Amino acid sequence: MPQETPDALEGTREGTAERSEPGAGPTQPALATLAVTAGRPAPGPDAPLNPQIVLTSTYHAGGPVGYGRHGNPTWSALESAVAALEHGSALAFASGMAAIAAVLETVPVGAVVLAPTHAYSGTRALLGELAGSGRIRLREVDVSDPDALAGAVPGVELVWLESPTNPMLTVVDLPRAIAHAHRAGARVAVDNTFATPMVQRPLELGADLVVHSATKYLSGHSDAVLGVTVAARPEQTERLAGIRALRGAVPGPVESWLVLRGLRTLHLRVAAASANAAELAGRLSGHPAVTRVRYPGLPGDPGHARAAAQMSGFGAIVAFEVSGGAAAADRVCAGTRLWVAATSLGGVESTLERRRRWAAESPEVPEGLIRLSVGVEDVEDLWADLDGALRATS
Ligand SMILES: *Cc1c(COP(=O)(O)O)cnc(C)c1O
């Protein structure tokens, strides 16, 4: 079981050390360096190292911004840091859902959106609502099956992907899915919340748009709600900025600053949490109370080979099922002391949740599935607590 740990760590190190080829233009700093350096104010004597939290609704006339719904220097600092990490142009939004809604707003009225049969429940609920009102037409397919995706993509305007998926940890073959979509003339948006740019950069794999719930890993401390879009082409960002301004889905300057502060340690947090997740996934696989573990870092996971090919680590979300279904899973979630029973994910603290407790969750998700967001605590303390709760219920 502990054999997954070196892999996950190694992968993350490789990812953070990635550079452009020598001779292929100016050398790009590694992602770890960008996480620390991007989005800083210009240097100068007594210039602050950190961006200011600019609290203003209005600006003196004569500039390009003018009003607080159109722009803010603290948003810009965060946006330039996220843009550097994802290799595109970024925009900050009031929440992950506001970012997702803005991308869906770029779809013409009545056009077809192809979406996964299971994905983040909020995304699915919004797609369902837009389809119900006739705003879009929705086609759902198992996007982890490249043949099914290829068959469903003709006539589609936008393909929505999530990989690994929330909460089933299904891995989509992103290069193949994106190639099928582009051949059919469709744009591709990827929700990269689970992987983070430290282990997966969908724009490099050909995607047109990336979205994040920055509430999760980018912030990393469970203290802010915020979203981002990152676009391969600047004109897409201009369009999204127009949508953000008119719909008013703007982030708070304080939240923007908190997310940028969190981003400074993204590489460290993701590496430490992923190593913990790999270790716990291995131990859970051998636990008598556990019937199935879903984690792309496990060699036996159906998404392992794909994940190893397109990611430089496996992330820190693990899902598992317990024998005894919903009731047993609820008892496990109520029985931990260190693990916090809570929704949300991606913070330094470990949380767990039975996802089907939400009515909006996909019926494809097993009733007894528990999603772990593995944090950066000591792994033996995490294991002792989880193992204790599992033993007490079985
Ligand atoms: C949480 C989450 C969202 C929604 O983000 P909010 O910041 O809560 O609006 C979108 N996608 C995924 C994968 C998420 O986990």
Side-chain angles (χ1 to χ4, degrees):
M1 48 177 166
Q3 90 252 16
E4 279 86 43
T5 308
D7 257 345
L9 264 181
E10 201 50 51
T12 307
R13 283 207 198 95
E14 270 165 36
T16 54
E18 188 167 298
R19 289 162 197 281
S20 54
E21 295 291 308
T27 309
Q28 280 294 310
L31 291 171
T33 305
L34 291 172
V36 174
T37 58
R40 302 268 184 197
D46 276 344
L49 253 64
N50 290 304
Q52 307 298 298
I53 303 176
V54 179
L55 295 171
T56 192
S57 61
T58 190
Y59 302 90
H60 286 280
V65 181
Y67 185 54
R69 190 155 34 74
H70 300 152
N72 176 285
T74 319
W75 307 350
S76 304
L78 170 63
E79 288 164 353
S80 61
V82 175
L85 295 176
E86 286 281 11
H87 302 169
S89 61
L91 277 185
F93 284 81
S95 66
M97 284 310 301
I100 291 166
V103 170
L104 294 176
E105 190 60 30
T106 65
V107 174
V109 173
V112 183
V113 176
L114 185 72
T117 50
H118 71 264
Y120 174 61
S121 56
T123 306
R124 282 177 45 81
L126 177 58
L127 286 165
E129 212 178 277
L130 294 172
S133 69
R135 172 64 185 78
I136 61 166
R137 282 183 293 155
L138 182 59
R139 200 175 286 171
E140 289 176 310
V141 72
D142 175 6
V143 293
S144 68
D145 175 350
D147 295 331
L149 186 133
V153 84
V156 165
E157 216 283 324
L158 178 74
V159 175
W160 191 271
L161 299 174
E162 204 177 278
S163 186
T165 58
N166 184 356
M168 300 269 270
L169 282 306
T170 306
V171 178
V172 179
D173 185 335
L174 289 176
R176 269 180 87 184
I178 292 164
H180 283 314
H182 283 172
R183 219 170 291 131
R187 293 182 298 142
V188 180
V190 180
D191 186 330
N192 203 29
T193 299
F194 270 32
T196 85
M198 290 302 159
V199 297
Q200 175 171 276
R201 287 165 306 284
L203 298 185
E204 283 180 5
L205 302 174
D208 301 282
L209 289 155
V210 162
V211 299
H212 278 278
S213 170
T215 310
K216 315 290 171 56
Y217 286 103
L218 300 189
S219 140
H221 295 77
S222 309
D223 52 10
V225 173
L226 194 136
V228 292
T229 58
V230 197
R233 294 183 301 281
E235 59 273 22
Q236 294 176 297
T237 288
E238 258 170 57
R239 176 94 194 280
L240 290 164
I243 290 169
R244 178 180 67 178
L246 280 183
R247 304 309 184 276
V250 294
V254 175
E255 281 76 4
S256 304
W257 190 92
L258 283 169
V259 173
L260 181 54
R261 150 78 95 102
L263 209 62
R264 299 298 182 212
T265 56
L266 180 63
H267 51 304
L268 303 175
R269 289 185 284 104
V270 169
S274 301
N276 280 352
E279 180 64 30
L280 295 176
R283 292 189 192 186
L284 283 169
S285 302
H287 200 286
V290 173
T291 56
R292 176 163 181 187
V293 180
R294 298 167 195 259
Y295 181 64
L298 290 173
D301 190 87
H304 180 68
R306 269 185 216 156
Q310 72 195 17
M311 300 167 76
S312 53
F314 300 108
I317 308 289
V318 177
F320 69 97
E321 288 150 53
V322 287
S323 42
D330 280 337
R331 284 199 299 277
V332 173
C333 294
T336 57
R337 291 154 157 258
L338 176 56
W339 292 81
V340 181
T343 198
S344 197
L345 55 100
V348 289
E349 61 287 309
S350 295
T351 61
L352 85 176
E353 183 182 36
R354 184 176 77 83
R355 283 301 294 178
R356 282 294 295 280
R357 75 192 181 95
W358 299 105
E361 189 55 89
S362 166
E364 288 185 10
V365 176
E367 283 284 356
L369 180 141
I370 296 173
R371 184 187 68 194
L372 301 178
S373 172
V374 181
V376 300
E377 304 92 336
D378 179 85
V379 73
E380 297 302 339
D381 288 340
L382 290 174
W383 177 248
D385 189 39
L386 191 57
D387 179 46
L390 280 165
R391 281 174 199 279
T393 43
S394 54

